[in-house]
Each structure stands twice: as C-alpha cells, then as structure tokens.
Amino acid sequence: MALSFSKENQERIQTLLGRYPTKMAACLPVLHLAQQQFGFLSPEAQELVARTLELELTHVHGVATFYSMFNKRPVGRYHVQVCTNVSCLLCGASETMSRLQRKLGIAPGETTADGLFTLTEVECLAYCGTAPAVQVNDDVYELVGENKAEELIDQLRAAAAASGPVGGAGA
C-alpha cells in the first residue's frame, strides 16, 4: 500500500504551496511534514513528496540526503545529536560524545537495543556561543559537558519510563 499524507498534512501542504512561488520551493517544509508523520524519510516517503509536489524523485532525494536534519532510516524515541563543529570541539564536544557513547553503549549512527536512543554526530547546531550543543529531537541543550550529558540521558530515561512503551521519533 502506497504511503499518503494525513488529511491534516494535505491541508498544511496546500497552505504551504500558497506561500511559495513554485512547488519546488516548498520541498523542505513538505519533507519536514513527511518526517513528522512517518518518523523518517524512507524511499516511499520521498516518492510521496515527489508525487505531491510534482518533482523528480532525484531532486527530492538530493534535498533529503543533503541536510542532516532529515533521517533516512528510523531513529529512537530520543534522537541525540551532538555538534562536533569547531566551536563545539574546542569546548569539549569530543568528550561529550565519548561520554554519551559509553553511557548509551552505542556508536554514532547507532540506536540502542531498546529503541530509546539514537546517537548522531552533526556539523553545526548554530549554538557556537554556548558550546558544546546537543539537540534531542527538537530541543537544543547548551553548554553540555560530560556530566550534563549523562544527566540529560538519565532524565530522558526517566521520562520514557513514566510515559510508557517506546515508539518512533517524536513518540
């Protein structure tokens, strides 16, 4: 069965199309909607965006793979992204990443066996003045040293335990 946008997202897309001069210009926000609805941008989700916007699949795929904010495979409930660009590296991002790897028992690009956490290295979260920065789903945390990183994981685990079984990103 082919994927389709929810009625709500179809309405959102129509609103978005009214804000842009061409359908191609709406590609980024429609990819965001697809990722929100489906959890990640599978080949089928990318095909849906291409059909919806009447674009070549190669264009949609190129956009989806260019930006690190788009997930091309499933991620855990908590997608932990650690900035390792220059400012963050100078302020301890390597140590933060190492501590997170040990705490979670996974390497960057991997998901914990329980599906709770995915750890990703990203290039820039635009929080250079308060580095190192870590983004979890849509929330950015600043000045995340090694200890703060461990505390953050403990808080997320507690929140997950209180909310029930693991789902996909944004669950």
Side-chain angles (χ1 to χ4, degrees):
M1 181 172 158
L3 291 180
S4 62
F5 282 112
S6 67
K7 183 178 179 183
E8 180 180 301
N9 278 341
Q10 289 175 17
E11 291 170 5
R12 287 180 177 165
I13 290 167
Q14 289 309 307
T15 300
L16 283 168
L17 290 175
R19 295 180 187 163
Y20 291 94
T22 65
K23 289 182 177 183
M24 183 180 285
C27 190
L28 280 172
V30 174
L31 283 168
H32 276 291
L33 285 176
Q35 182 165 279
Q36 280 180 325
Q37 181 173 332
F38 305 115
F40 69 105
L41 295 177
S42 66
E44 296 81 11
Q46 292 175 46
E47 288 173 21
L48 173 61
V49 171
R51 277 195 318 274
T52 300
L53 297 178
E54 299 172 350
L55 298 173
E56 293 292 326
L57 178 58
T58 54
H59 175 79
V60 173
H61 180 73
V63 173
T65 56
F66 178 80
Y67 292 101
S68 63
M69 64 196 164
F70 294 124
N71 305 311
K72 277 62 77 184
R73 57 190 171 134
V75 295
R77 178 184 289 186
Y78 299 112
H79 187 190
V80 181
Q81 300 169 80
V82 180
C83 177
T84 57
N85 212 332
V86 175
S87 294
C88 286
L89 276 177
L90 291 172
C91 293
S94 293
E95 293 79 9
T96 297
M97 178 62 90
S98 294
R99 182 73 66 100
L100 286 169
Q101 287 178 265
R102 285 192 305 275
K103 178 92 173 160
L104 297 171
I106 57 174
E110 296 179 345
T111 300
T112 55
D114 61 4
L116 199 55
F117 296 96
T118 297
L119 184 61
T120 305
E121 181 178 345
V122 294
E123 279 303 309
C124 186
L125 294 173
Y127 285 82
C128 302
T130 52
V134 172
Q135 181 170 327
V136 179
N137 299 343
D138 294 327
D139 299 319
V140 176
Y141 299 86
E142 303 166 86
L143 301 168
V144 183
E146 296 173 72
N147 293 334
K148 189 172 178 180
E150 283 205 17
E151 291 169 12
L152 177 60
I153 296 303
D154 291 340
Q155 291 168 359
L156 293 170
R157 279 195 173 125
S163 68
V166 173

